[in-house]
Amino acid sequence: MFKKIMKGGHRKPSKSEANEPPTTYGPGSNVVVSHASRGALVQSPVTAATPQPPPMTSVEPLPLFRDVPVSERQALFLRKVQNCCFLFDFTDTVKNAREKEIKRQTLLELVDFIQSGASKIISESCQEEMVKMVSLNIFRCLPPGSHENTGQEPADPEEEEPYLEPSWPHLQLVYELLLRYVVSTDTDTKVAKRYIHHSFVLKLLDLFDSEDPREREYLKTILHRIYGKFMVHRPFIRKAINNIFYRFIYEMERHSGIGELLEILGSIINGFALPMKEEHKLFLIRVLIPLHKPKPIAIYHQQLSYCIVQFVEKDYKLADTVIRGLLKYWPVTNCTKENLFLTELEEVLEATQPVEFQRCMVPLFQQIGRSLNSSHFQVAERALFLWNNEHIVGLIAQNRTVILPIIYPALEKNIQSHWNQAVHGLTTNIKKMFMEMDLELFEECQRQYEEKQAKSKEVEEQRLLSWKRLAEAAAKRDGVGGEDHMITS
């Protein structure tokens, strides 16, 4: 075995070695060495200013940056980066405790070094090795979700306990290092984009499915900063996020990071220039509106609603598209989801102009009428609360001749038969509001409703009478009075 290792040490590293998975160093050891990092160190160009240190075989304590001359800090930086390329098993807190602490302290030093503005003096090769070290630490196979570990039906994602990454004491510092590198004013975008490339961004996006909320929070901040700093990556990032949403909507309906991705997009949408590009409008129609379909919408609805409202505030002409999209995916039996839709609808209507409101008010208030009559009192109440919004009341007042005839039957039905007293009281207040708004129209709607009810009652009586006559005729034909018999032919 020793001869094979010695032979391998003299062999020229191949390109495939750059993609080799990390392997444990030594039998039974929990220390992991990255051959990718080792190969990269050999292959990277060696400059006189930054001589490449020999590969390290174990984690070892190194001097502090302030304890060495400035001329030696580049080489020390590389050795510290090499120190951080060793991975450990955090499921056992006892093993390699000394090495873990050395790595943690080294990561803290690197973060301070980059944050102090020293990154402007580190060479391109140092930046490259640092990004490779970050990649080695953060890019990994995520453990299967808790819903994938059992053969049972998947539980409600809101009720599941999140999986917390055991290696977070190191992982957090690696993310902090990457964040400081990206946000630093000393980081040259032209240089950094060679290492923070499309493949790197895609792997970052894959990590958004981590169940650990601490990791997703760091990823959200880092990706947002990358989007802001690397303009060349912006179309690619938007497209890659869209692809995650498509898989979530149409294939999986399980993803831990939808809320964080929508939060990033909310900030991006806020910066869209006007007039809005067709690409952005298609994103609204093909991605954001269909995101109302999946069952776990409650987890990310707040961020989704913010994105939707941003579009309407940016371009008021999109209000009709948004409202009709909400109506398309309106829940039928899920009361919790319907409450969310009503809350979002109010926010959209606040940003809606009268012209756009008129285009969709008929189907809109047909649905609101159904929500008013919901047997779930929270849904009925939430629909009635729309009349507490002055802007919405103003839109209704301007179009009362169309709206009141649509919802008057729903208001009357609530007063006559709804079981909840709070719904009764709110419905009565809305009736009074319409009476004060236009008494003549209100009385006309009341008259039409009463006529319709009388006609329906008459039709029902005629139907019952017809059945009674049919029963009597059947009994008479069979010669038996007062008893029901099945008529057979």
Side-chain angles (χ1 to χ4, degrees):
M1 175 62 73
F2 179 77
K3 289 181 179 179
K4 288 182 179 179
I5 293 173
M6 292 300 294
K7 288 180 181 178
H10 294 288
R11 182 170 51 86
K12 183 178 179 181
S14 64
K15 291 183 179 179
S16 62
E17 281 184 328
N19 296 320
E20 275 189 17
T23 57
T24 54
Y25 189 82
S29 172
N30 287 323
V31 181
V32 180
V33 180
S34 166
H35 292 284
S37 175
R38 191 181 296 179
L41 286 169
V42 174
Q43 290 178 345
S44 58
V46 179
T47 62
T50 315
Q52 296 291 319
M56 300 173 67
T57 57
S58 63
V59 177
E60 58 187 52
L62 295 169
L64 300 176
F65 282 111
R66 65 171 180 264
D67 295 339
V68 299
V70 176
S71 59
E72 296 178 14
R73 288 181 183 175
Q74 299 265 5
L76 179 60
F77 181 88
L78 284 176
R79 290 188 67 79
K80 287 182 181 290
V81 166
Q82 281 187 352
N83 242 358
C84 297
C85 288
F86 290 88
L87 305 181
F88 301 97
D89 178 13
F90 276 81
T91 57
D92 189 335
T93 56
V94 178
K95 288 185 178 180
N96 305 112
R98 175 180 171 275
E99 289 84 353
K100 289 175 185 176
E101 180 58 23
I102 292 173
K103 179 178 176 180
R104 192 183 71 82
Q105 290 295 337
T106 305
L107 284 168
L108 281 170
E109 288 181 53
L110 290 174
V111 170
D112 290 340
F113 187 73
I114 296 295
Q115 195 171 0
S116 65
S119 57
K120 60 188 175 184
I121 65 170
I122 62 174
S123 64
E124 292 183 23
S125 61
C126 287
Q127 295 180 51
E128 181 181 9
E129 294 306 319
M130 183 183 68
V131 174
K132 286 180 180 178
M133 180 273 290
V134 168
S135 301
L136 176 67
N137 278 271
I138 66 174
F139 297 147
R140 65 204 188 281
C141 291
L142 296 173
S146 52
H147 63 283
E148 297 173 341
N149 290 335
T150 64
Q152 301 175 355
E153 286 292 317
D156 186 349
E158 288 185 280
E159 298 176 0
E160 291 179 1
E161 286 293 325
Y163 169 82
L164 299 180
E165 176 60 47
S167 61
W168 186 246
H170 286 181
L171 206 57
Q172 178 186 11
L173 295 173
V174 176
Y175 276 123
E176 187 67 28
L177 177 63
L178 176 59
L179 177 61
R180 294 302 163 196
Y181 173 68
V182 171
V183 302
S184 174
T185 54
D186 299 321
T187 301
D188 187 351
T189 309
K190 293 180 181 179
V191 174
K193 73 179 181 181
R194 300 174 192 167
Y195 319 121
I196 300 179
H197 39 61
H198 286 182
S199 177
F200 185 91
V201 170
L202 277 179
K203 290 176 181 177
L204 269 185
L205 284 167
D206 287 340
L207 291 173
F208 272 87
D209 202 16
S210 168
E211 289 190 21
D212 194 327
R214 303 169 299 181
E215 182 169 14
R216 296 200 305 271
E217 192 65 24
Y218 261 105
L219 287 165
K220 178 188 72 177
T221 306
I222 291 168
L223 185 65
H224 190 198
R225 295 292 189 167
I226 290 174
Y227 186 92
K229 190 157 191 168
F230 297 85
M231 295 186 67
V232 67
H233 291 337
R234 290 183 179 182
F236 178 81
I237 291 173
R238 291 197 301 269
K239 185 177 179 181
I241 293 175
N242 286 1
N243 290 337
I244 292 174
F245 288 147
Y246 287 140
R247 287 196 299 271
F248 173 71
I249 296 167
Y250 300 110
E251 294 179 13
M252 301 164 60
E253 287 201 358
R254 297 289 303 214
H255 195 285
S256 301
I258 298 298
E260 285 79 8
L261 291 172
L262 284 170
E263 213 168 319
I264 296 170
L265 286 168
S267 180
I268 292 172
I269 294 165
N270 193 30
F272 282 167
L274 295 176
M276 199 172 291
K277 294 179 181 179
E278 192 64 25
E279 171 201 345
H280 303 326
K281 293 179 183 179
L282 288 175
F283 167 69
L284 169 68
I285 296 167
R286 295 178 179 176
V287 178
L288 291 185
I289 291 177
L291 273 172
H292 290 84
K293 180 184 176 183
K295 291 179 182 178
I297 184 176
I299 299 173
Y300 57 84
H301 180 262
Q302 184 180 353
Q303 296 91 334
L304 175 61
S305 179
Y306 177 78
C307 291
I308 292 285
V309 173
Q310 285 286 307
F311 266 100
V312 178
E313 289 178 349
K314 281 278 182 181
D315 187 351
Y316 69 90
K317 293 181 181 179
L318 294 171
D320 176 52
T321 302
V322 168
I323 291 171
R324 290 182 184 274
L326 284 174
L327 295 176
K328 178 181 178 182
Y329 294 105
W330 199 276
V332 178
T333 58
N334 190 331
C335 298
T336 304
K337 194 172 179 180
E338 189 167 4
N339 262 330
L340 295 175
F341 272 55
L342 286 165
T343 302
E344 181 178 352
L345 178 63
E346 181 175 356
E347 294 177 2
V348 172
L349 287 173
E350 279 186 349
T352 302
Q353 300 298 317
V355 176
E356 303 305 315
F357 179 78
Q358 290 170 1
R359 293 180 180 175
C360 60
M361 62 184 175
V362 172
L364 172 61
F365 278 88
Q366 286 172 347
Q367 178 56 58
I368 290 175
R370 289 190 287 272
S371 297
L372 289 173
N373 293 146
S374 173
S375 58
H376 195 293
F377 77 97
Q378 289 180 336
V379 173
E381 270 188 343
R382 190 64 193 82
L384 290 162
F385 284 156
L386 292 173
W387 274 264
N388 291 341
N389 189 297
E390 291 184 8
H391 180 72
I392 296 174
V393 170
L395 293 172
I396 292 172
Q398 293 173 25
N399 301 278
R400 58 186 179 275
T401 55
V402 177
I403 293 171
L404 184 55
I406 295 173
I407 65 163
Y408 186 88
L411 297 174
E412 280 293 333
K413 185 178 179 182
N414 268 1
I415 290 175
Q416 292 173 14
S417 60
H418 204 284
W419 63 272
N420 186 271
Q421 290 301 316
V423 172
H424 269 264
L426 290 168
T427 305
T428 303
N429 292 340
I430 290 175
K431 283 188 69 176
K432 289 178 181 177
M433 187 185 296
F434 276 114
M435 287 177 68
E436 295 170 359
M437 200 180 289
D438 193 333
L439 181 59
E440 185 179 345
L441 175 64
F442 182 86
E443 290 176 346
E444 176 63 22
C445 291
Q446 188 176 31
R447 183 186 62 79
Q448 290 179 1
Y449 176 77
E450 289 172 354
E451 288 179 358
K452 188 175 180 180
Q453 289 297 104
K455 187 176 180 181
S456 298
K457 188 176 180 181
E458 184 181 344
V459 170
E460 179 66 14
E461 289 174 353
Q462 288 292 331
R463 187 180 69 83
L464 292 173
L465 184 60
S466 298
W467 276 108
K468 185 178 179 181
R469 288 172 180 171
L470 184 60
E472 289 174 353
K476 186 177 180 181
R477 191 187 70 175
D478 293 344
V480 181
E483 293 184 9
D484 292 334
H485 287 271
M486 184 179 291
I487 301 173
T488 57
S489 56

